[in-house]
Amino acid sequence: MSYDVVVAGGGPVGLMLACELRLGGASVVVLERLTEIDPTLKAGALNTPSVEALYRRGLLPELKEVQARAMELVQAFMRKQASTGGPRRTPPRFAGHFAGMMLSADLLDAEDPDLSGRGPITEIGLVPQQQLEQILAVRAAELGVEVRRGVEVTGFADDGEQVTVTTTGGPVHGRWLVGCDGGRSTVRKLAGFEFPGTDPEITAYQAVAEMEGTEHLGVGWQATPTGIYSHGPVPGRILVARFDGGAPGRADKTTPVTTEELQDAVRYVTGSGVVVKEITSVTRFTDNARQATTYRLGRVLLAGDAAHVHSPFGGQGLNLGLGDAVNLGWKLAAVVRGQAPEGLLDTYTRERHPIGAWVLDWTRAQIALMRPDAHARAARAVVADLLGTVTGTTYFVKKISGVWQRYDMPGDSGHPLVGRSAPDYEFEDGSRLADHLHDGRGLLVRQSGSRLDGAAADGHGDRVGTLTTAIGEPHAPGALLVRPDGVVAWAEDPDAADAEGLANALETWFGAPADVPATLG
């Protein structure tokens, strides 16, 4: 069979991309070398753009259920700590961390406009990667995505019209190939993407294990004379980072981590006599930080860790990859269906590369403050003081949460919403903006009193829905055009009538209007 898009890698990023492609009308196959979801402990939280993206596709109930189960594990850990003589203090409300320095939600500026207007997603964040992957696997099946597990990509040929992918399960043909196959991406290497960056300073381990002697360990992040560690927030979870230059003998991901290796690292960093009895899950990683110079070469594109690698501190990796998938999916589907020119794909690198570069620097800064030398610890103390203020905590939380993200848009009218994630406005019928984005189309929202022609988007009706309503927000625009990824492509003030600006935005993001207006749903 031949597909519109072949996705290499069936983790959360590959599955999210596949779902977006199917919503856009593209045929897609996902090739995943693992036969089951990887049980190794990985990312444990989602940021605001990620939760917004999933909410806009109708997945909020599933996220709430997963978070409830995750919170039960956190509470079990705290009960165990109390029962074994560990710290009994009630920790502050968690809002993230920077370089292992905790951020308290009690210090957030509740009046900051970037942290308000987010709708029902506000309380969602603690969603482990494996559970997210399960949610996306179910959604992909519902949408008709073909997922082939136990199939590994071994090569490909791009002839300019089609990509022939060779795999352990035979050849697969597609018009496009997207590598979502992780930091050691086969697709990236075979395609010849440049991947510059910085070498590692640490070797770190994150594990869930049965251990003895942990009652003397601190809860949460702790800096020590030999590194940094984190204990909890679920039973048996430990993370340790030792500054050894990413020792090659330990940093090889293909070599299994033994109980002896993990125990040696825990003892070295914590200074304790912890005994590791049995490992349930463990991963070894470094702070190797690299980014592809472009996310597209010919008919091959990259997303997620295939496009950028960095340390996981601050929980940015999974979220960065999901943002790639949401940005790329609708654009590639539009090109596949002939609704947009190939040039639309150039906006993928242009919009996502700066976000990736920021994440790499954000993680590098944390490594600099985690170093055990005197100069780094002095700088760490200064930052810790800043984190103890409302202004400092609000700044760091806004950065970690991703609410600062904005794309530079062609023909930007100067409206403050353009290029940003659309607010989750509540409409007069009680619905919210996200409720109208489940189908993966764009959306033109026109306030009842807007001077804009109600038929302005008729020529794009198969790609853009139209909603005429009242918005229950005093500072809402008179009309706004929202892309399928939830980004505002155009907006006008209530007393304006920028029909030309809307027409340009529609053609830029959704292609030329159809000869015959489509019927709007």
Side-chain angles (χ1 to χ4, degrees), residues 10 57 133 159 327:
R57 297 300 184 254
E133 189 170 335
D159 65 10
N327 186 286

Side-chain angles (χ1 to χ4, degrees), residues 251-276:
D252 182 3
K253 287 188 176 182
T254 63
T255 304
V257 178
T258 64
T259 55
E260 292 78 12
E261 181 183 352
L262 178 61
Q263 178 175 283
D264 175 66
V266 173
R267 289 182 172 185
Y268 176 80
V269 175
T270 68
S272 71
V274 167
V275 176
V276 177

Side-chain angles (χ1 to χ4, degrees), residues 86-98:
R88 293 175 180 271
R89 62 181 177 82
T90 300
R93 289 191 301 132
F94 180 65
H97 79 88
F98 183 77

Side-chain angles (χ1 to χ4, degrees), residues 182-216:
R184 300 160 67 97
S185 171
T186 297
V187 172
R188 184 189 67 236
K189 295 172 182 177
L190 293 174
F193 284 87
E194 295 180 15
F195 203 51
T198 51
D199 294 329
E201 295 186 32
I202 67 167
T203 303
Y205 303 82
Q206 181 173 219
V208 174
E210 180 186 346
M211 297 177 286
E212 293 180 354
T214 59
E215 63 272 13
H216 302 299

Side-chain angles (χ1 to χ4, degrees), residues 31-39 133 147-152:
L31 309 177
E32 169 55 52
R33 65 179 182 82
L34 298 178
T35 57
E36 302 289 343
I37 293 176
D38 186 356
E133 189 170 335
V147 179
R148 300 186 190 178
R149 286 195 166 273
V151 176
E152 185 171 0

Side-chain angles (χ1 to χ4, degrees), residues 16 20 23-24 52-57 325-334 339 344 422 433-434 436-444 462-465 481-489 505 509-510:
M16 187 76 184
E20 293 297 290
L23 282 175
E52 283 181 330
L54 295 160
Y55 167 47
R56 288 166 177 156
R57 297 300 184 254
V326 173
N327 186 286
L328 174 61
W330 68 275
K331 295 175 180 177
L332 184 52
Q339 296 173 331
L344 180 62
L433 178 70
H436 300 270
L437 295 174
H438 290 186
D439 62 4
R441 292 192 301 165
L443 180 67
L444 174 63
D462 56 338
R463 290 153 273 174
V464 180
L481 177 65
V482 183
R483 303 191 321 189
D485 58 359
V487 173
V488 178
W509 299 110
F510 300 99

Side-chain angles (χ1 to χ4, degrees), residues 20-197:
E20 293 297 290
L21 288 164
R22 283 297 300 136
L23 282 175
S27 61
V28 56
V29 62
V30 177
L31 309 177
E32 169 55 52
R33 65 179 182 82
L34 298 178
T35 57
E36 302 289 343
I37 293 176
D38 186 356
T40 305
L41 182 65
K42 295 183 180 179
L46 298 178
N47 68 4
T48 297
S50 294
V51 180
E52 283 181 330
L54 295 160
Y55 167 47
R56 288 166 177 156
R57 297 300 184 254
L59 294 172
L60 190 63
E62 290 88 339
L63 298 181
K64 287 182 176 179
E65 183 179 340
V66 166
Q67 177 165 275
R69 294 198 300 268
M71 286 303 300
E72 290 174 0
L73 292 175
V74 172
Q75 292 162 1
F77 172 76
M78 298 307 297
R79 288 194 298 270
K80 181 179 180 181
Q81 284 298 110
S83 68
T84 57
R88 293 175 180 271
R89 62 181 177 82
T90 300
R93 289 191 301 132
F94 180 65
H97 79 88
F98 183 77
M101 292 175 280
M102 305 304 286
L103 300 168
S104 170
D106 296 330
L107 287 175
L108 277 177
D109 179 4
E111 303 301 318
D112 191 295
D114 288 334
L115 298 174
S116 60
R118 300 287 168 177
I121 72 161
T122 306
E123 301 302 321
I124 299 295
L126 190 60
V127 179
Q129 180 167 324
Q130 284 88 350
Q131 282 68 50
L132 174 62
E133 189 170 335
Q134 290 171 355
I135 291 172
L136 291 173
V138 171
R139 179 50 54 93
E142 293 172 349
L143 293 172
V145 173
E146 182 179 348
V147 179
R148 300 186 190 178
R149 286 195 166 273
V151 176
E152 185 171 0
V153 172
T154 57
F156 68 85
D158 176 3
D159 65 10
E161 297 291 334
Q162 178 177 268
V163 181
T164 300
V165 183
T166 54
T167 79
T168 53
V172 180
H173 305 282
R175 295 171 61 189
W176 298 85
L177 170 64
V178 186
C180 300
D181 50 341
R184 300 160 67 97
S185 171
T186 297
V187 172
R188 184 189 67 236
K189 295 172 182 177
L190 293 174
F193 284 87
E194 295 180 15
F195 203 51

Side-chain angles (χ1 to χ4, degrees), residues 300-506:
V300 182
L301 301 107
L302 302 176
D305 290 349
H308 35 68
V309 295
H310 52 84
S311 77
F313 298 120
Q316 297 290 328
L318 171 61
N319 295 295
L320 182 59
L322 292 174
D324 292 345
V326 173
N327 186 286
L328 174 61
W330 68 275
K331 295 175 180 177
L332 184 52
V335 171
V336 163
R337 294 183 63 191
Q339 296 173 331
E342 254 186 57
L344 180 62
L345 295 178
D346 295 335
T347 68
Y348 171 53
T349 296
R350 189 168 69 234
E351 292 180 347
R352 293 303 299 172
H353 197 277
I355 306 291
W358 176 86
V359 168
L360 263 66
D361 280 344
W362 187 255
T363 59
R364 289 181 180 121
Q366 292 181 77
I367 293 297
L369 292 177
M370 289 178 174
R371 292 173 185 145
D373 64 84
H375 293 84
R377 290 298 161 89
R380 183 182 182 86
V382 173
V383 175
D385 282 345
L386 291 175
L387 295 180
T389 67
V390 170
T391 301
T393 292
T394 301
Y395 167 83
F396 279 91
V397 168
K398 286 169 64 173
K399 290 294 187 181
I400 292 170
S401 68
V403 299
W404 61 273
Q405 295 179 12
R406 179 184 182 277
Y407 299 144
D408 290 330
M409 309 290 272
D412 188 345
S413 63
H415 194 285
L417 286 179
V418 173
R420 295 188 176 276
S421 178
D424 191 38
Y425 290 125
E426 185 172 1
F427 302 134
E428 59 184 343
D429 63 357
S431 67
R432 306 191 73 101
L433 178 70
D435 298 326
H436 300 270
L437 295 174
H438 290 186
D439 62 4
R441 292 192 301 165
L443 180 67
L444 174 63
V445 180
R446 173 180 173 272
Q447 290 232 52
S448 304
S450 172
R451 296 164 57 189
L452 183 71
D453 184 351
D458 278 4
H460 295 83
D462 56 338
R463 290 153 273 174
V464 180
T466 299
L467 179 66
T468 300
T469 185
I471 301 176
E473 165 61 51
H475 303 295
L480 71 160
L481 177 65
V482 183
R483 303 191 321 189
D485 58 359
V487 173
V488 178
W490 167 90
E492 69 171 14
D493 293 321
D495 58 350
D498 183 20
E500 182 179 355
L502 173 60
N504 290 336
L506 283 166

